[in-house]
Amino acid sequence: MGVLVCIGVLLPFPFYCFLWTYPQKWVDFCGKGSDPCHRMAQVSHFLKLLQFLAIFSVAHFSWPPWYCFLPFALGQFLNFRVYQLLGESGTYYGVRFGKNIPWVTEFPFGYINHPQYVGSMLSLIACLCWVPFPYVLLWVLGYLLMMLVESRENAATRAKLLS
């Protein structure tokens, strides 16, 4: 495996782990009057771009087999639905940053644990027709790590928003 591609694939996960574990440091870093969720979204989009560039460097594009469309469509539907229900603040650790995010029970919540990560993994599995397995596996392992990290939340470590 190309070391740089592996680094590119794994790049966002230390950032997410840090923010989940030390949310007050991020809130303080963002400063008064700045939305830590929006800042996290901006950094995450940049890191996602670097992930895609890393994956595109090893991808071999051709027309995908028909069976790749179903997991990709389902995965993207789950991602869209999560963002639709939670919004930016709910998706980007708003609860950890001290925001009051309403509890959501509509589908896919209550039916699928970590629906956004499941959706992302389904989309990645669909990309196996283009991207070598080791890189997809590495990315999926990153999501599994985040599922584990986020399942062990300590409410006492939630940040307090700066006012």
Side-chain angles (χ1 to χ4, degrees):
M1 277 199 277
V3 174
L4 289 178
V5 177
C6 292
I7 291 170
V9 166
L10 294 174
L11 205 52
F13 300 112
F15 176 67
Y16 300 151
C17 283
F18 177 80
L19 296 188
W20 187 265
T21 308
Y22 305 104
Q24 189 65 56
K25 290 185 186 294
W26 181 251
V27 170
D28 294 342
F29 176 78
C30 290
K32 190 183 271 190
S34 181
D35 181 355
C37 299
H38 185 67
R39 291 284 175 250
M40 179 185 177
Q42 290 174 320
V43 173
S44 295
H45 292 148
F46 177 72
L47 294 173
K48 189 63 64 183
L49 172 68
L50 295 178
Q51 265 185 319
F52 283 127
L53 290 174
I55 285 296
F56 287 152
S57 74
V58 294
H60 303 284
F61 293 104
S62 61
W63 188 254
W66 64 270
Y67 51 82
C68 288
F69 290 102
L70 182 62
F72 187 81
L74 180 58
Q76 291 306 298
F77 170 74
L78 288 172
N79 283 327
F80 171 79
R81 185 75 177 133
V82 166
Y83 202 86
Q84 181 184 41
L85 291 170
L86 296 180
E88 184 176 73
S89 290
T91 303
Y92 292 101
Y93 295 177
V95 168
R96 297 292 295 152
F97 298 143
K99 291 189 173 189
N100 184 20
I101 306 296
W103 191 257
V104 176
T105 57
E106 295 174 53
F107 180 82
F109 296 98
Y111 298 91
I112 300 171
N113 286 332
H114 302 283
Q116 187 169 24
Y117 290 138
V118 170
S120 295
M121 289 186 284
L122 284 169
S123 296
L124 284 169
I125 289 167
C127 292
L128 281 170
C129 58
W130 298 309
V131 179
F133 175 76
Y135 301 109
V136 171
L137 177 63
L138 194 58
W139 200 328
V140 166
L141 289 173
Y143 284 132
L144 291 172
L145 168 71
M146 289 313 303
M147 290 168 70
L148 179 67
V149 167
E150 292 177 15
S151 69
R152 297 181 174 173
E153 184 195 9
N154 179 354
T157 63
R158 290 181 181 172
K160 289 164 186 52
L161 282 174
L162 301 176
S163 45

